[in-house]
Amino acid sequence: MIRKAFLTFCSAGMLLSAHAQTPKVYAIQADKIKTPIKSTMYGIFFEDINMAADGGVYAELVKNRSFEFNMPLAAWTQQKKDGGDGRIEVINRSVERPENPHFIKAYVSSDAGFFGLANEGFRGMGIKEGEEYSFSVMAKQDGDTNVKLNVELHGDNDAIIGTAELTPTDKEWNRYSVKFKSSATVKKAKLYVWLSGKGTIDMDMISLFPQHTWKDRPAGLRADLVQKLADMKPGFLRFPGGCIVEGRELNNRYQWKKTIGNVDKRTNIINRWNTEFANRSTPDYYQTFGLGFMEYFMTAEDIGASPLPILNCGMACEFNTAELVPMDQLEPYLNDALDLIEFANGDASTKWGKLRTDLGHPAPFNLKMIGVGNEQWGPQYVERWKVFTKAIKSKYPDVKIVSALGPSPDGKEFDMLNKTFRGLGADILDEHYYAPPKWFRDNARRYDNYDRKGPKIFAGEYAAQSVHTVSVDNKNNWECALAEAAFMTGLERNADVVNMASYAPLFAHVDGWQWTPNLIWFDNLKSYATPNYYVQQLFSLNKGTDVVPLTLNNDVVAGQDGCYATASLDKNTNELIIKFVNTGATAQNVSFKLNGGSYQKQANVTTLSSDKGNAENSIENPTAVSPVQSTLAVNGKALNINVEPYAFKVIRLKNK
Ligand code: AHR
């Protein structure tokens, strides 16, 4: 309904915009600082949903590399060629290696030809012409054999686009690797591992990575995806979620200690989004934790974001099993929180600080915040929260605790938690809003009357839903992005209360998603930023350091004629920054009265706009809605600008 109304408006708006209007005068008081804006104001929410980690930012190309899926040979098929033959056994050594029990034993029964395995990758493997790839395997010859490996990458029509050879020599487990180049770019390539020479060989951790990754770290992260995060200059990185923290059941909760160290020792588990939506079932979705807590902390550091880990508080997802740990058995969960703080901040004389040092990072990660629970609600959460808060605060009084206010921004559960946590003196409250675009436009004043002395607000997960939450038809369209921009002017205006905000979820594979909308979409080779991403990016890059008053008729600008606005100073660059959002169908003739500053003659303007509410970006057309730069004359103490319908503008004026 809302979307239809918006679209109908578009054509009318184009007509109306032709009429000249008397300019409305918006007053800016650049010498009256209202509140500083925290460096953490705009950040990133990361969760392994929609193949964000495995199959996404974690650049491993082999799916089920360690044969730990419920069906251990999932993603693998046996192959024969040129008269070769053999068979595969799946061995479970759970007593000796409980964290990585399965490996395969391959019997090559013929001297002639080749027997082997092919891996389908994550909806195929994205391979680029001229790039180098690193194949590796843990292997041991079983007895006096000399089984040789021929590695092949197959592209479209089974064309061979890369080859390598390797012969594991030892009778004990060892890691072998070889590098080779690809001769073609292919979106859905396959990996073949051919075995030749009669005998038996054991194999595990069969892996293929591009050499070029983020910062070219071996077995690292996809560079194009992390670059998009870096380009946002985020203030914080929240990880690892989201509901994935909780697990459908406690057994499958996120346990950070199992995600660090050698990757072959990180226990794989089913991804909770594997089975969440029957209509978006993803039976091949598991967590290898190749992207684990060390990688999260290092990525945060790389992109200049403050790390914000969210930990399980003894509760499984309340939308699913809602399992609870008995209160007298919370200790391992509490230890996970306390040990994590030591892991992040402790020096090498501490147990966990030493582990971080041994893992190659002697410098602390400077952890200042930690989340206790994700979207919990009910008195059972409060009970557990109290135990966590007491334990954390008594050992680490300076670490701020992020407390959940449930999945909705209002209602009985929200009100109860909001009141309770305020009464208990909580540091930061985590509010989530997945709602129609209208909700975002209507709630731009949400924080204007919040208690200034109470807890700080973290808008921890939000996204406008074009249809409804969890609808598979939700789109990352311009109407939603523009509504988010309108709402964000209210966050920024209230930066004394709202200290952090992040859109959610972050990533989605175009062939492997469960949830929509998402900030960044990708396939195996490319990625694109949504209009919503550009809104987030423009706010982040242009947040400034201090909010200053911007008013229309002595009121904040939050919906009059469909317009929303905020202004800030950037003390570092000596600029005034104005953000103006016109969600209406009518062009706005705007005059800013510039009090308290003296500006150079030309302002820089960035415009994000579209006359179509349903406009989207895509792999084929990644910049359909994207920022456009221009300049504007400043007329002494006045700045006049015509803001077209459905537009978000950022105007930067340099002080003389
Ligand atoms: O962002 C997707 C999901 O939405 C998150 O995992 C959860 O916290 C929320 O319900």
Side-chain angles (χ1 to χ4, degrees):
M1 281 296 285
I2 294 156
R3 193 167 137 224
K4 200 168 160 216
F6 180 88
L7 292 176
T8 324
F9 253 114
C10 278
S11 40
M14 298 314 287
L15 290 177
L16 285 167
S17 64
H19 295 283
Q21 228 184 24
T22 321
K24 291 206 177 64
V25 181
Y26 294 78
I28 296 177
Q29 201 65 50
D31 54 355
K32 269 199 191 154
I33 288 187
K34 274 180 67 187
T35 179
I37 300 171
K38 290 259 187 291
S39 62
T40 51
M41 184 71 194
Y42 302 111
I44 290 172
F45 162 96
F46 186 95
E47 175 169 21
D48 189 7
I49 182 173
N50 303 316
M51 287 176 40
D54 290 292
V57 73
Y58 182 52
E60 172 65 88
L61 294 164
V62 175
K63 187 167 73 184
N64 193 16
R65 65 183 174 191
S66 61
F67 308 100
E68 301 303 335
F69 282 20
N70 283 3
M71 295 301 289
L73 287 178
W76 296 95
T77 47
Q78 295 188 37
Q79 308 285 333
K80 293 172 189 176
K81 71 171 179 183
D82 304 338
D85 207 353
R87 70 187 169 83
I88 299 272
E89 288 175 354
V90 175
I91 311 291
N92 185 336
R93 56 181 164 179
S94 58
V95 174
E96 179 196 338
R97 292 287 307 276
E99 77 292 349
N100 177 9
H102 295 124
F103 68 90
I104 56 165
K105 193 175 275 295
Y107 295 88
V108 185
S109 57
S110 163
D111 269 329
F114 299 88
F115 169 70
L117 285 166
N119 188 276
E120 66 188 30
F122 297 89
R123 311 296 191 272
M125 297 176 182
I127 300 293
K128 291 187 181 156
E129 182 182 349
E131 280 210 11
E132 202 165 39
Y133 291 85
S134 173
F135 171 86
S136 68
V137 58
M138 303 279 299
K140 72 180 168 77
Q141 300 279 352
D142 188 0
D144 285 330
T145 62
N146 206 16
V147 176
K148 181 173 147 193
L149 271 62
N150 279 74
V151 179
E152 283 176 3
L153 268 176
H154 287 208
D156 299 336
N157 305 316
D158 248 348
I160 297 175
I161 58 169
T163 58
E165 280 182 22
L166 183 155
T167 305
T169 45
D170 285 7
K171 291 184 181 137
E172 299 301 326
W173 282 111
N174 229 322
R175 186 171 173 273
Y176 300 87
S177 65
V178 62
K179 291 188 181 122
F180 61 99
K181 279 195 174 162
S182 163
S183 59
T185 295
V186 176
K187 191 156 75 176
K188 290 180 184 277
K190 263 183 156 185
L191 174 75
Y192 284 71
V193 182
W194 294 110
L195 307 173
S196 59
K198 205 167 167 180
T200 309
I201 187 166
D202 295 342
M203 292 187 290
D204 197 5
M205 300 299 293
I206 302 179
S207 166
L208 184 72
F209 271 92
Q211 276 295 107
H212 172 53
T213 56
W214 170 251
K215 293 199 176 282
D216 284 336
R217 293 197 180 114
L221 306 182
R222 231 177 97 166
D224 63 325
L225 296 183
V226 184
Q227 189 60 55
K228 284 208 165 46
L229 306 187
D231 290 346
M232 291 172 75
K233 292 207 192 317
F236 65 89
L237 175 67
R238 170 187 177 143
F239 56 89
C243 293
I244 211 151
V245 169
E246 307 159 57
R248 286 183 72 81
E249 58 288 303
L250 284 168
N251 237 358
N252 281 324
R253 72 188 188 277
Y254 199 103
Q255 297 184 62
W256 73 268
K257 288 175 183 164
K258 296 186 177 179
T259 74
I260 54 173
N262 291 343
V263 285
D264 69 309
K265 299 212 166 62
R266 302 183 191 182
T267 309
N268 292 198
I269 60 171
I270 192 166
N271 187 302
R272 57 144 298 127
W273 298 105
N274 180 314
T275 48
E276 184 68 20
F277 303 119
N279 56 341
R280 296 296 305 172
S281 152
T282 323
D284 57 343
Y285 201 3
Y286 283 70
Q287 290 178 271
T288 64
F289 299 109
L291 170 57
F293 259 42
M294 204 50 199
E295 290 77 17
Y296 280 124
F297 275 118
M298 285 170 67
T299 305
E301 184 178 69
D302 291 343
I303 62 180
S306 196
L308 170 51
I310 308 285
L311 295 193
N312 188 298
C313 63
M315 302 175 73
C317 182
E318 289 170 81
F319 288 116
N320 303 142
T321 64
E323 283 180 346
L324 294 174
V325 177
M327 291 300 291
D328 60 359
Q329 291 170 36
L330 267 181
E331 198 178 326
Y333 293 76
L334 277 178
N335 286 343
D336 275 359
L338 298 174
D339 295 344
L340 181 66
I341 300 171
E342 186 176 293
F343 177 76
N345 294 350
D347 62 32
S349 69
T350 64
K351 175 179 167 191
W352 292 97
K354 174 161 183 342
L355 181 58
R356 186 198 66 242
T357 306
D358 293 347
L359 291 173
H361 203 285
F365 284 123
N366 212 5
L367 177 75
K368 292 187 179 132
M369 310 171 275
I370 192 165
V372 173
N374 174 45
E375 261 180 1
Q376 322 306 154
W377 66 84
Q380 61 275 40
Y381 175 44
V382 178
E383 235 186 329
R384 284 162 182 75
W385 180 94
K386 283 183 184 163
V387 179
F388 270 80
T389 302
K390 190 169 171 211
I392 295 171
K393 287 289 180 187
S394 52
K395 198 160 179 198
Y396 299 106
D398 294 338
V399 170
K400 300 281 182 222
I401 295 179
V402 172
S403 313
L405 291 189
S408 310
D410 47 34
K412 214 170 97 217
E413 303 292 2
F414 176 91
D415 291 343
M416 186 281 275
L417 290 174
N418 195 22
K419 191 167 168 217
T420 307
F421 287 146
R422 283 174 185 276
L424 291 168
D427 296 322
I428 304 170
L429 302 178
D430 179 9
E431 299 190 357
H432 293 184
Y433 359 86
Y434 294 99
K438 183 176 182 320
W439 184 95
F440 285 85
R441 294 190 293 266
D442 290 351
N443 276 274
R445 292 176 189 255
R446 178 179 173 91
Y447 297 107
D448 289 354
N449 297 314
Y450 259 51
D451 178 5
R452 302 342 257 188
K453 297 201 182 84
K456 302 301 177 194
I457 299 299
F458 170 27
E461 295 185 28
Y462 63 91
Q465 314 285 301
S466 63
V467 182
H468 61 79
T469 314
V470 308
S471 165
V472 293
D473 295 321
N474 284 330
K475 302 289 181 211
N476 280 104
N477 66 29
W478 178 232
E479 184 196 3
C480 288
L482 192 61
E484 288 151 10
F487 178 71
M488 289 172 78
T489 60
L491 300 183
E492 191 167 287
R493 184 175 57 247
N494 289 287
D496 54 334
V497 171
V498 184
N499 282 183
M500 298 155 77
S502 47
Y503 183 99
L506 179 66
F507 282 130
H509 191 301
V510 294
D511 297 330
W513 58 272
Q514 300 79 47
W515 179 292
T516 180
N518 303 287
L519 203 61
I520 298 165
W521 289 80
F522 59 90
D523 66 14
N524 289 342
L525 292 171
K526 296 180 184 161
S527 55
Y528 72 89
T530 57
N532 317 70
Y533 171 97
Y534 288 119
V535 165
Q536 294 293 319
Q537 188 190 39
L538 285 177
F539 268 88
S540 183
L541 299 186
N542 296 288
K543 67 178 180 301
T545 52
D546 299 86
V547 179
V548 294
L550 187 162
T551 52
L552 175 69
N553 302 327
N554 294 321
D555 190 9
V556 298
V557 185
Q560 301 93 319
D561 300 317
C563 295
Y564 302 79
T566 184
S568 60
L569 291 184
D570 189 328
K571 283 184 179 160
N572 301 320
T573 59
N574 202 16
E575 283 170 294
L576 172 68
I577 306 169
I578 306 168
K579 300 187 188 75
F580 195 94
V581 180
N582 180 7
T583 66
T586 311
Q588 294 292 323
N589 208 351
V590 171
S591 178
F592 292 108
K593 201 170 149 207
L594 305 168
N595 305 309
S598 173
Y599 301 99
Q600 294 183 9
K601 283 190 180 143
Q602 190 171 282
N604 289 316
V605 183
T606 308
T607 303
L608 195 57
S609 72
S610 171
D611 59 0
K612 294 183 187 64
N614 62 358
E616 291 176 67
N617 293 339
S618 63
I619 294 276
E620 295 72 32
N621 192 358
T623 52
V625 184
S626 54
V628 175
Q629 311 294 337
S630 59
T631 55
L632 187 69
V634 182
N635 185 7
K637 293 278 176 197
L639 179 81
N640 299 320
I641 183 166
N642 191 267
V643 182
E644 57 269 47
Y646 314 120
F648 168 34
K649 285 193 189 288
V650 179
I651 307 162
R652 294 188 77 116
L653 297 97
K654 192 118 187 133
N655 257 296
K656 274 185 186 155

